[in-house]
Amino acid sequence: MKTVHRLPVLLLLGSLAMLAVAMVAPAHASAKHSEHFVRPAELEPDIAFWRRVYTEVTTEGGLLHDPEDLSVVYEVLRFPSDISPKTRSKQIEDAKKKYSRILERLASGAEDLSAEEQRVHHLWPKGTRRARFEQASESVRFQLGQADRFREGLVRSGAWHDHIADTFQKMGLPRELAALPHVESSFNTYAYSKVGAAGMWQFMRSTGRRFLRIDAAVDERLDPYRSTQAAARFLEQNYIILGSWPLALTAYNHGPGGMKRAQEQLGTSDITTIVRKYNSRTFGFASRNFYLAFLAALEIDSDPQKFFPGIRRNPPDNSRILLLPNSLPASRLVAALDMDREELRRLNPALLNSVWKGARHVPRGYEVRVPSHIDLTSVMAKLSTGAPEPAEVALAGGQHRVSRGETLSQIASEYGVSMSVLADLNDLDRPYRLSVGQVLAIPEKGGRPAAVVAQTPKETPPPAPAAKTTPPTGVVGAERYVVRRGDTLGKIAKKYGLTEDQLMELNNIRNRQFIYEGQVLALAASARAKPPVEAEVPVATVAAVSEPPSETEAVEPESEREAEEIGPALVPGTQAAASADPSDYSVQDKNTIIVQAAETLGHYAEWLDVRASQLRQLNRISYGTPVVIGRKVKLDFSKVTPDQFEARRVEYHRALQEAFFTQFRIEGTSEHVIKRGESVWVLAQQRYNIPIWLLRQYNPDLDLGSLQPGARLVIPLVTATGASSEPSA
């Protein structure tokens, strides 16, 4: 396995003054002289292709080209503005067929070429083989132009660009990353994609939950400030793992796990080699071109007048923050501010329809954006007078986690509520697309969530609803306890004859509200120093998965309308990766796997439909000896296929992580230098109070079972989501 040097971590954490000096460059520094984002000469034709897409051709046209050699552009198509979608689609297909026929002629070795066939032949490098023409004949591609959308994005970017660059600089990241929203969303804070990505940074829900608050009242993916911080944290994690900005940036789309596999498979971090040679069913056109499109966008963003003469960016956003001391209805907030409701809503896109329609309150502690002229002192005085709002209240119906195949109408019927009320409460628009694992707030039967009996304000997040694959938990031996869904320190302490303070002291817990499902608590002093190498969660009963989920390239949009329907990204299929998990769950050579955190032989036996004793015998592991994180284990595939095993394994980890990130989110990172005698397990579970799998994700190349003094650990810092502080009206 290739080792990523730990020096990049130090750079990220701001420990080298040289980086700080480099970061002082202007926000629109020259894209061709970036210290962090190399432009290899071999990739210049690809960058030039995207530069043409972004500046020369609008969404009223596009380029017919070869998807592998982007220097080969057969024709620029342009369509009348009044052409019908059907006619446009037919013209594109006819043009594709035309060039396929020409390429077939070239592949046949015909010598009597027409003028048009000779023109196409000359587009290709001299000496191109006939087999290459045959391949090209089967893959003629249409790329929609984006010049009008890019221009609109440049105008919008004025409100956020410098703030984004400053945010990244403060976190020790390159300022050039401020150009990334051009590729993701054209700086559209309201952007939604067909596959569920949202906001300026196009976070998928599962990735967004790691860093952002996403619930029935708030979706911080739509907040340009919060989502920018989240994007910075995600990119920081990618860089820690991969040690290269081109790879870290590509991982924003393809996922750090995918890029780490590419890095290890090819034995290099060279972006040119990976773009040209990495072969994976999920590394499609969008992922392969993500970095190249970014370089083109960065070049244009650095000198917009060169490409769009006379263009003017919007002025920077100058809104102010009103920090709410208590939750309250949006109607009362609007009245206190004495401003237009829609203007307030525009400034606060993360507050969902459920808030504006009165089904939920604006949460306590929420940072409300208001115009700069607002007198905050006067507003706070208004909000502090009058009858207090009801204390935080609970949804009478609770929550529901969406399973594969479920529809909104089925869920509404199951709980005896109106589908429109359920959609309204969860901010869903037609055609009501749901994603597996999505958590829906459920109102009481027959209507909106009621303001039931007021409860004493708490800071404890509600128990995370269990996914179908959440592992069972409970007592492990006589001295340890694995936290169940809904557990509290008080309940556990009382059950085992301890006080909360004793339980906190035993586990070095500083915040009594801060425990999570799957966490292992010591019930006696002798259980404190548990080895860090053993997976900590008992066997899960995993829902049957026959095949892994299909990974297909996004449809090529043929018009601006289709591009908007598919998503706001300027490269089809572009959004933040669906998973920020860098772990490798694949089956490797000779039917082996690398042991990941929170796994046991019992898990493998369950997913393989065999007995654990068979696996112990196969690997010569004695009874009671745990599998070690990072080591290889050989598997028996006599009952299931490797694909079926991988799918079950991934589903288990997805559910485990989703349950955690329903309650907690990552706020940043710190560094810990291992001292003599320190246990990684104790550090994770007791000092930093994080699951070992999360620590492993930020330190994938370290052997957590045998760290030497002086080794540096990157520690993800997590905080409670505060999901309980969102009362219903």
Side-chain angles (χ1 to χ4, degrees):
M1 177 180 292
K2 184 179 181 297
T3 299
V4 178
H5 299 294
R6 306 310 294 175
L7 178 60
V9 177
L10 298 177
L11 292 175
L12 279 171
L13 298 174
S15 59
L16 296 183
M18 182 175 66
L19 179 62
V21 172
M23 293 295 112
V24 178
H28 307 292
S30 172
K32 291 193 175 182
H33 299 90
S34 171
E35 172 189 353
H36 308 284
F37 301 100
V38 296
R39 290 176 60 120
E42 187 179 337
L43 297 180
E44 284 295 343
D46 306 69
I47 300 169
F49 172 86
W50 290 107
R51 192 166 57 238
R52 291 185 68 184
V53 170
Y54 291 165
T55 63
E56 294 181 13
V57 187
T58 71
T59 51
E60 294 299 326
L63 309 180
L64 281 173
H65 66 98
D66 183 76
E68 293 188 18
D69 187 343
L70 297 186
S71 68
V72 179
V73 176
Y74 304 115
E75 184 179 351
V76 178
L77 299 180
R78 302 185 191 276
F79 307 103
S81 58
D82 59 350
I83 192 174
S84 70
K86 184 176 181 180
T87 303
R88 175 194 280 251
S89 180
K90 186 176 185 307
Q91 288 187 11
I92 292 172
E93 288 305 310
D94 287 346
K96 283 183 176 181
K97 290 175 182 177
K98 166 190 168 182
Y99 289 104
S100 290
R101 288 192 294 269
I102 290 175
L103 290 164
E104 287 171 356
R105 282 269 293 161
L106 299 180
S108 71
E111 297 182 357
D112 55 333
L113 300 178
S114 67
E116 179 66 354
E117 289 169 342
Q118 290 181 31
R119 181 187 71 82
V120 172
H121 189 275
H122 291 149
L123 293 174
W124 288 85
K126 188 175 181 179
T128 299
R129 296 180 177 274
R130 290 163 60 176
R132 181 67 181 89
F133 287 127
E134 180 66 31
Q135 176 190 359
S137 71
E138 299 173 355
S139 57
V140 179
R141 185 178 183 278
F142 174 77
Q143 171 60 50
L144 185 71
Q146 302 285 353
D148 47 345
R149 298 178 78 192
F150 200 100
R151 183 186 183 96
E152 293 167 0
L154 278 170
V155 173
R156 280 193 293 263
S157 71
W160 319 112
H161 190 288
D162 289 348
H163 164 75
I164 294 171
D166 290 344
T167 298
F168 278 57
Q169 178 178 319
K170 288 175 183 175
M171 293 184 63
L173 310 182
R175 290 179 66 90
E176 295 98 319
L177 289 167
L180 183 53
H182 283 301
V183 181
E184 287 290 337
S185 66
S186 298
F187 281 85
N188 182 358
T189 59
Y190 293 93
Y192 276 100
S193 79
K194 190 174 185 179
V195 296
M200 181 190 297
W201 293 95
Q202 283 296 278
F203 274 107
M204 297 293 286
R205 184 175 292 266
S206 56
T207 304
R209 279 190 185 277
R210 286 188 169 235
F211 311 101
L212 297 165
R213 178 175 181 165
I214 304 173
D215 53 48
V218 177
D219 188 344
E220 288 184 340
R221 294 180 298 169
L222 303 176
D223 184 314
Y225 294 95
R226 290 289 191 180
S227 64
T228 291
Q229 294 170 350
R233 293 187 190 108
F234 185 26
L235 287 162
E236 176 189 40
Q237 178 190 357
N238 291 349
Y239 187 68
I240 288 170
I241 293 165
L242 298 163
S244 154
W245 276 115
L247 296 191
L249 196 64
T250 306
Y252 190 87
N253 173 254
H254 188 60
M259 293 317 298
K260 190 162 182 60
R261 281 192 292 276
Q263 196 179 46
E264 292 171 352
Q265 185 183 107
L266 297 177
T268 182
S269 294
D270 178 64
I271 188 62
T272 303
T273 302
I274 289 174
V275 166
R276 294 287 187 247
K277 296 185 178 180
Y278 181 50
N279 184 27
S280 165
R281 65 179 179 182
T282 61
F283 196 64
F285 186 82
S287 297
R288 196 176 301 279
N289 281 274
F290 191 79
Y291 180 64
L292 309 174
F294 168 76
L295 291 179
L298 177 61
E299 180 181 349
I300 301 164
D301 182 81
S302 300
D303 190 4
Q305 295 296 330
K306 175 181 177 181
F307 301 96
F308 298 100
I311 193 170
R312 297 182 63 182
R313 300 183 197 246
N314 287 338
D317 173 61
N318 63 352
S319 61
R320 303 172 67 188
I321 293 176
L322 173 67
L323 184 64
L324 293 188
N326 295 297
S327 63
L328 75 166
S331 57
R332 186 175 175 194
L333 182 61
V334 170
L337 291 167
D338 190 24
M339 64 179 292
D340 180 71
R341 180 190 185 90
E342 289 308 310
E343 173 64 9
L344 182 61
R345 187 171 185 174
R346 183 189 67 78
L347 290 172
N348 296 275
L351 292 176
L352 301 178
N353 284 337
S354 58
V355 172
W356 298 107
K357 293 181 179 181
R360 307 283 289 186
H361 285 181
V362 182
R364 178 184 63 211
Y366 191 77
E367 295 181 351
V368 179
R369 288 274 167 181
V370 299
S372 58
H373 67 269
I374 294 289
D375 182 349
L376 299 183
T377 302
S378 174
V379 172
M380 289 299 289
K382 292 179 183 178
L383 293 177
S384 63
T385 60
E389 294 298 326
E392 294 164 16
V393 294
L395 281 176
Q399 296 176 315
H400 176 90
R401 185 181 292 273
V402 177
S403 299
R404 185 170 281 104
E406 284 189 317
T407 65
L408 191 67
S409 61
Q410 290 172 338
I411 297 169
S413 176
E414 178 182 343
Y415 289 96
V417 299
S418 161
M419 186 169 69
S420 62
V421 168
L422 190 58
D424 211 28
L425 177 61
N426 290 279
D427 197 47
L428 300 175
D429 296 320
R430 292 183 182 279
Y432 303 144
R433 293 188 179 94
L434 302 178
S435 57
V436 176
Q438 181 177 350
V439 177
L440 300 178
I442 305 296
E444 65 176 346
K445 289 188 178 182
R448 296 182 180 279
V452 296
V453 180
Q455 301 172 344
T456 303
K458 299 178 182 178
E459 298 200 5
T460 311
K468 288 187 175 180
T469 56
T470 300
T473 48
V475 177
V476 181
E479 298 181 328
R480 295 188 302 276
Y481 180 84
V482 184
V483 177
R484 295 177 182 271
R485 177 166 52 95
D487 276 342
T488 66
L489 274 179
K491 286 168 61 177
I492 298 169
K494 183 178 180 181
K495 185 174 182 180
Y496 295 101
L498 300 169
T499 66
E500 282 192 32
D501 289 342
Q502 287 174 326
L503 196 55
M504 290 174 69
E505 184 179 355
L506 277 171
N507 294 279
N508 196 25
I509 294 175
R510 290 168 289 179
N511 183 345
R512 70 183 64 248
Q513 313 295 352
F514 198 99
I515 62 173
Y516 52 86
E517 184 177 8
Q519 181 178 3
V520 179
L521 299 180
L523 301 177
S526 57
R528 281 178 168 176
K530 196 164 187 298
V533 296
E534 183 177 357
E536 296 306 328
V537 183
V539 178
T541 302
V542 180
V545 180
S546 58
E547 294 296 337
S550 61
E551 298 281 356
T552 56
E553 193 67 51
V555 177
E556 301 168 28
E558 296 181 349
S559 66
E560 183 174 15
R561 177 187 60 79
E562 284 193 6
E564 291 294 344
E565 287 179 355
I566 292 172
L570 301 191
V571 182
T574 295
Q575 64 266 331
S579 174
D581 183 354
S583 305
D584 186 358
Y585 299 120
S586 63
V587 177
Q588 303 183 357
D589 294 339
K590 299 180 181 179
N591 291 340
T592 61
I593 59 166
I594 301 295
V595 176
Q596 301 298 340
E599 294 181 343
T600 68
L601 275 180
H603 285 108
Y604 304 147
E606 180 80 12
W607 303 332
L608 291 165
D609 292 340
V610 300
R611 293 181 179 276
S613 58
Q614 293 175 242
L615 298 181
R616 289 191 179 280
Q617 184 176 4
L618 184 63
N619 290 276
R620 298 180 180 178
I621 298 175
S622 61
Y623 183 78
T625 302
V627 291
V628 178
I629 297 172
R631 308 294 167 80
K632 282 189 176 182
V633 170
K634 191 170 185 179
L635 302 180
D636 177 352
F637 289 103
S638 60
K639 299 292 181 63
V640 302
T641 67
D643 281 350
Q644 288 173 321
F645 172 85
E646 285 181 16
R648 293 173 176 181
R649 191 184 189 194
V650 168
E651 180 70 8
Y652 163 75
H653 284 282
R654 182 199 63 78
L656 189 71
Q657 293 171 34
E658 276 199 6
F660 180 81
F661 288 117
T662 297
Q663 301 180 72
F664 305 103
R665 62 171 175 260
I666 298 169
E667 286 290 340
T669 58
S670 65
E671 190 178 64
H672 181 95
V673 180
I674 296 291
K675 299 180 179 62
R676 188 174 304 279
E678 282 188 327
S679 161
V680 174
W681 178 255
V682 172
L683 286 172
Q685 288 273 351
Q686 298 181 16
R687 177 167 179 176
Y688 294 106
N689 216 20
I690 57 175
I692 200 76
W693 56 259
L694 184 57
L695 183 66
R696 170 75 173 169
Q697 287 183 9
Y698 276 78
N699 301 273
D701 291 316
L702 294 181
D703 185 347
L704 300 185
S706 58
L707 287 180
Q708 300 300 313
R712 297 179 183 274
L713 280 176
V714 178
I715 308 294
L717 305 176
V718 301
T719 186
T721 60
S724 66
S725 61
E726 295 133 48
S728 342

